[in-house]
Amino acid sequence: MYRHIPLIEGEYNSNPFSKEYVSLKYVNVPETVELHNLDATNNREWISCKAMVKNITDIRVDLKLAVFECVKCMSQTVVEVSRNKNMIVPSECENCKKGKMRISKEISEFKNFRIAKLEEPLEMRKGGVTREFKGYMQDYLASPYNNIKAGAVVDLTGEFLVEPYTKDELESYEFLIDIHNITPIDDAFEDYLLTSADKEMIIELSKRQAIYEILVNTLAPEVYGYETVKESLLLQLFEGARPKDDVFKTDIIDRWTSHILLIGDLESENHN
């Protein structure tokens, strides 16, 4: 179905004088693959997965439809610009067969595009190892209205491709995800409905004398040691006890919100 999207969009956007562009996007697509499992056998497959944006370029611009005009008879030739192929520039006018062709920047169409480096979110990495993939976004996905930032965890759909590239005059191949849609996942404020069993367990835990130590030990249990760091992170989750007459609270500074700065190689410090 996804291969028909350009045809459907072409029907919606058939009016060349319209300033509006309709872009069709799939949303809420079930995950079909994990990034670390992708390889050359997945070439040209439609995928849906979860990823973390490692970094992303600024908005860049490229040709989408190049319009060439004849310098003699002014007839026009339209060339569609493909992302992964060199643009074919007409050598001569097809109408008069005499004039040279020059690109008309005023009539040609341009597109936004951005390149993102994608890797698996921390919680999905196997043994701490991750792989990095290049993602290509264009048009609306690369516009200022679609604010994708480095560090964001996202749901994405697109076509997984093996594409040629040139480096140091040598041609090679690389993996690329031609992104169809990308949506940030906001896990920070998801509502969680407590069951009766959850409430009973919380009340029972609150009555234990060692509840503080239990909470510290359950924070990142796969990381051994660093009790002081874990304790600090735990206290940050609960913040401070803000008095009713908080004279320090301003629009800029909130002194009852905890902040933590970890500096240096903690493992090396523990050995010194």
Side-chain angles (χ1 to χ4, degrees), residues 185-214:
I185 302 173
D186 188 5
D187 292 330
F189 301 103
E190 284 189 353
D191 292 332
Y192 179 80
L193 298 177
L194 291 175
T195 65
S196 298
D198 292 332
K199 295 178 182 179
E200 291 178 3
M201 182 183 65
I202 293 172
I203 294 173
E204 192 275 328
L205 285 172
S206 68
K207 296 177 181 179
R208 296 188 187 184
Q209 291 184 351
I211 181 61
Y212 188 71
E213 290 75 11
I214 293 174

Short mmCIF file of all heavy atoms in Angstrom, two decimals, residues 185-214:
data_model
loop_
_atom_site.label_atom_id
_atom_site.label_comp_id
_atom_site.label_asym_id
_atom_site.label_seq_id
_atom_site.Cartn_x
_atom_site.Cartn_y
_atom_site.Cartn_z
N ILE A 185 7.93 10.29 20.97
CA ILE A 185 7.20 9.57 22.01
C ILE A 185 7.36 10.34 23.31
O ILE A 185 8.47 10.53 23.80
CB ILE A 185 7.75 8.14 22.19
CG1 ILE A 185 7.67 7.37 20.87
CG2 ILE A 185 7.00 7.41 23.29
CD1 ILE A 185 8.34 6.02 20.93
N ASP A 186 6.25 10.78 23.86
CA ASP A 186 6.28 11.54 25.11
C ASP A 186 5.88 10.62 26.25
O ASP A 186 4.71 10.42 26.53
CB ASP A 186 5.33 12.74 25.04
CG ASP A 186 5.48 13.65 26.26
OD1 ASP A 186 6.37 13.39 27.08
OD2 ASP A 186 4.70 14.61 26.38
N ASP A 187 6.90 10.02 26.89
CA ASP A 187 6.64 9.09 28.00
C ASP A 187 6.61 9.79 29.34
O ASP A 187 6.27 9.18 30.36
CB ASP A 187 7.73 8.00 28.05
CG ASP A 187 7.64 7.08 26.84
OD1 ASP A 187 6.53 6.91 26.34
OD2 ASP A 187 8.68 6.55 26.42
N ALA A 188 6.99 11.07 29.36
CA ALA A 188 7.22 11.73 30.65
C ALA A 188 5.94 11.88 31.46
O ALA A 188 5.95 11.78 32.69
CB ALA A 188 7.86 13.11 30.42
N PHE A 189 4.82 12.13 30.79
CA PHE A 189 3.60 12.44 31.54
C PHE A 189 2.46 11.49 31.18
O PHE A 189 1.31 11.88 31.17
CB PHE A 189 3.19 13.89 31.26
CG PHE A 189 4.24 14.88 31.63
CD1 PHE A 189 5.03 15.46 30.66
CD2 PHE A 189 4.46 15.20 32.96
CE1 PHE A 189 6.01 16.37 31.01
CE2 PHE A 189 5.44 16.12 33.31
CZ PHE A 189 6.22 16.70 32.34
N GLU A 190 2.82 10.25 30.87
CA GLU A 190 1.78 9.28 30.61
C GLU A 190 1.01 8.95 31.89
O GLU A 190 1.60 8.80 32.95
CB GLU A 190 2.38 7.98 30.03
CG GLU A 190 2.79 8.12 28.57
CD GLU A 190 3.17 6.77 28.00
OE1 GLU A 190 3.24 5.81 28.79
OE2 GLU A 190 3.40 6.68 26.80
N ASP A 191 -0.29 8.87 31.78
CA ASP A 191 -1.11 8.53 32.94
C ASP A 191 -1.01 7.04 33.21
O ASP A 191 -1.04 6.22 32.29
CB ASP A 191 -2.57 8.91 32.68
CG ASP A 191 -2.75 10.42 32.62
OD1 ASP A 191 -1.96 11.11 33.26
OD2 ASP A 191 -3.68 10.87 31.92
N TYR A 192 -0.88 6.71 34.48
CA TYR A 192 -0.84 5.31 34.89
C TYR A 192 -1.96 5.09 35.89
O TYR A 192 -2.04 5.78 36.92
CB TYR A 192 0.51 4.97 35.51
CG TYR A 192 0.60 3.54 35.98
CD1 TYR A 192 0.85 2.52 35.06
CD2 TYR A 192 0.43 3.21 37.32
CE1 TYR A 192 0.93 1.20 35.47
CE2 TYR A 192 0.50 1.89 37.73
CZ TYR A 192 0.76 0.89 36.80
OH TYR A 192 0.82 -0.41 37.21
N LEU A 193 -2.82 4.14 35.59
CA LEU A 193 -3.95 3.86 36.45
C LEU A 193 -3.55 2.81 37.49
O LEU A 193 -3.19 1.69 37.13
CB LEU A 193 -5.13 3.36 35.62
CG LEU A 193 -5.69 4.35 34.59
CD1 LEU A 193 -6.82 3.71 33.78
CD2 LEU A 193 -6.19 5.61 35.28
N LEU A 194 -3.60 3.20 38.75
CA LEU A 194 -3.25 2.28 39.84
C LEU A 194 -4.39 1.30 40.08
O LEU A 194 -5.55 1.70 40.21
CB LEU A 194 -2.96 3.07 41.12
CG LEU A 194 -1.69 3.92 41.14
CD1 LEU A 194 -1.63 4.72 42.43
CD2 LEU A 194 -0.45 3.07 40.99
N THR A 195 -4.04 0.02 40.16
CA THR A 195 -5.02 -0.99 40.50
C THR A 195 -5.13 -1.10 42.01
O THR A 195 -4.30 -0.55 42.76
CB THR A 195 -4.64 -2.34 39.90
OG1 THR A 195 -3.41 -2.78 40.51
CG2 THR A 195 -4.44 -2.23 38.39
N SER A 196 -6.11 -1.82 42.48
CA SER A 196 -6.26 -2.05 43.93
C SER A 196 -5.05 -2.78 44.48
O SER A 196 -4.58 -2.48 45.59
CB SER A 196 -7.54 -2.84 44.20
OG SER A 196 -8.68 -2.12 43.78
N ALA A 197 -4.52 -3.71 43.71
CA ALA A 197 -3.33 -4.44 44.15
C ALA A 197 -2.13 -3.51 44.26
O ALA A 197 -1.31 -3.64 45.18
CB ALA A 197 -3.04 -5.59 43.18
N ASP A 198 -2.02 -2.56 43.30
CA ASP A 198 -0.92 -1.58 43.36
C ASP A 198 -1.01 -0.75 44.64
O ASP A 198 0.00 -0.54 45.33
CB ASP A 198 -0.96 -0.66 42.14
CG ASP A 198 -0.63 -1.39 40.86
OD1 ASP A 198 0.11 -2.39 40.92
OD2 ASP A 198 -1.11 -0.96 39.80
N LYS A 199 -2.20 -0.30 44.95
CA LYS A 199 -2.39 0.55 46.14
C LYS A 199 -2.07 -0.22 47.42
O LYS A 199 -1.41 0.31 48.33
CB LYS A 199 -3.82 1.07 46.18
CG LYS A 199 -4.16 2.02 45.03
CD LYS A 199 -5.61 2.47 45.09
CE LYS A 199 -5.95 3.38 43.92
NZ LYS A 199 -7.37 3.82 43.93
N GLU A 200 -2.49 -1.47 47.50
CA GLU A 200 -2.19 -2.28 48.68
C GLU A 200 -0.68 -2.48 48.84
O GLU A 200 -0.15 -2.44 49.95
CB GLU A 200 -2.91 -3.62 48.57
CG GLU A 200 -4.43 -3.52 48.70
CD GLU A 200 -5.11 -4.87 48.53
OE1 GLU A 200 -4.37 -5.88 48.36
OE2 GLU A 200 -6.35 -4.92 48.56
N MET A 201 0.01 -2.72 47.71
CA MET A 201 1.45 -2.93 47.78
C MET A 201 2.17 -1.66 48.23
O MET A 201 3.12 -1.70 49.02
CB MET A 201 1.98 -3.37 46.41
CG MET A 201 3.48 -3.67 46.39
SD MET A 201 4.08 -4.12 44.75
CE MET A 201 3.80 -2.59 43.86
N ILE A 202 1.73 -0.49 47.73
CA ILE A 202 2.35 0.78 48.11
C ILE A 202 2.17 1.04 49.60
O ILE A 202 3.10 1.46 50.30
CB ILE A 202 1.75 1.93 47.26
CG1 ILE A 202 2.16 1.78 45.80
CG2 ILE A 202 2.21 3.29 47.80
CD1 ILE A 202 1.46 2.75 44.87
N ILE A 203 0.97 0.80 50.10
CA ILE A 203 0.71 1.00 51.53
C ILE A 203 1.56 0.06 52.37
O ILE A 203 2.12 0.45 53.41
CB ILE A 203 -0.79 0.81 51.83
CG1 ILE A 203 -1.61 1.92 51.15
CG2 ILE A 203 -1.05 0.82 53.34
CD1 ILE A 203 -3.11 1.72 51.24
N GLU A 204 1.68 -1.20 51.92
CA GLU A 204 2.49 -2.17 52.65
C GLU A 204 3.96 -1.78 52.66
O GLU A 204 4.63 -1.87 53.70
CB GLU A 204 2.30 -3.55 52.03
CG GLU A 204 2.85 -4.71 52.86
CD GLU A 204 4.34 -4.93 52.62
OE1 GLU A 204 4.79 -4.68 51.49
OE2 GLU A 204 5.02 -5.34 53.57
N LEU A 205 4.46 -1.31 51.55
CA LEU A 205 5.87 -0.88 51.48
C LEU A 205 6.12 0.34 52.35
O LEU A 205 7.19 0.47 52.97
CB LEU A 205 6.24 -0.56 50.02
CG LEU A 205 6.46 -1.75 49.09
CD1 LEU A 205 6.63 -1.28 47.66
CD2 LEU A 205 7.68 -2.57 49.51
N SER A 206 5.16 1.26 52.41
CA SER A 206 5.35 2.48 53.19
C SER A 206 5.52 2.19 54.68
O SER A 206 6.06 3.02 55.42
CB SER A 206 4.17 3.43 52.98
OG SER A 206 2.98 2.89 53.54
N LYS A 207 5.07 1.04 55.13
CA LYS A 207 5.15 0.70 56.55
C LYS A 207 6.47 0.03 56.92
O LYS A 207 6.74 -0.18 58.10
CB LYS A 207 3.97 -0.21 56.92
CG LYS A 207 2.61 0.45 56.77
CD LYS A 207 1.49 -0.51 57.09
CE LYS A 207 0.12 0.15 56.91
NZ LYS A 207 -0.99 -0.80 57.21
N ARG A 208 7.27 -0.28 55.93
CA ARG A 208 8.53 -0.95 56.22
C ARG A 208 9.57 0.08 56.70
O ARG A 208 9.68 1.18 56.15
CB ARG A 208 9.06 -1.66 54.98
CG ARG A 208 8.18 -2.79 54.48
CD ARG A 208 8.89 -3.56 53.39
NE ARG A 208 8.01 -4.55 52.78
CZ ARG A 208 8.41 -5.41 51.83
NH1 ARG A 208 9.67 -5.39 51.41
NH2 ARG A 208 7.56 -6.27 51.33
N GLN A 209 10.35 -0.33 57.69
CA GLN A 209 11.38 0.57 58.22
C GLN A 209 12.51 0.78 57.20
O GLN A 209 13.14 1.85 57.19
CB GLN A 209 11.96 0.00 59.52
CG GLN A 209 10.97 0.01 60.68
CD GLN A 209 11.61 -0.46 61.97
OE1 GLN A 209 12.73 -0.95 61.98
NE2 GLN A 209 10.88 -0.29 63.08
N ALA A 210 12.75 -0.20 56.35
CA ALA A 210 13.87 -0.11 55.40
C ALA A 210 13.41 0.36 54.02
O ALA A 210 14.07 0.08 53.02
CB ALA A 210 14.56 -1.47 55.28
N ILE A 211 12.29 1.08 53.96
CA ILE A 211 11.75 1.50 52.66
C ILE A 211 12.73 2.36 51.88
O ILE A 211 12.83 2.26 50.65
CB ILE A 211 10.40 2.25 52.86
CG1 ILE A 211 9.81 2.66 51.51
CG2 ILE A 211 10.57 3.44 53.79
CD1 ILE A 211 9.51 1.51 50.59
N TYR A 212 13.50 3.20 52.59
CA TYR A 212 14.45 4.08 51.92
C TYR A 212 15.51 3.26 51.20
O TYR A 212 15.82 3.49 50.02
CB TYR A 212 15.09 5.02 52.94
CG TYR A 212 15.95 6.11 52.32
CD1 TYR A 212 15.38 7.16 51.62
CD2 TYR A 212 17.33 6.08 52.46
CE1 TYR A 212 16.16 8.16 51.06
CE2 TYR A 212 18.13 7.07 51.91
CZ TYR A 212 17.53 8.10 51.21
OH TYR A 212 18.31 9.08 50.65
N GLU A 213 16.08 2.27 51.89
CA GLU A 213 17.11 1.41 51.29
C GLU A 213 16.53 0.58 50.15
O GLU A 213 17.20 0.34 49.14
CB GLU A 213 17.74 0.51 52.35
CG GLU A 213 18.61 1.21 53.38
CD GLU A 213 17.81 1.97 54.42
OE1 GLU A 213 16.57 1.78 54.46
OE2 GLU A 213 18.42 2.76 55.18
N ILE A 214 15.28 0.15 50.31
CA ILE A 214 14.64 -0.64 49.25
C ILE A 214 14.52 0.17 47.97
O ILE A 214 14.83 -0.31 46.87
CB ILE A 214 13.24 -1.12 49.72
CG1 ILE A 214 13.39 -2.13 50.86
CG2 ILE A 214 12.46 -1.73 48.55
CD1 ILE A 214 12.06 -2.53 51.47
#
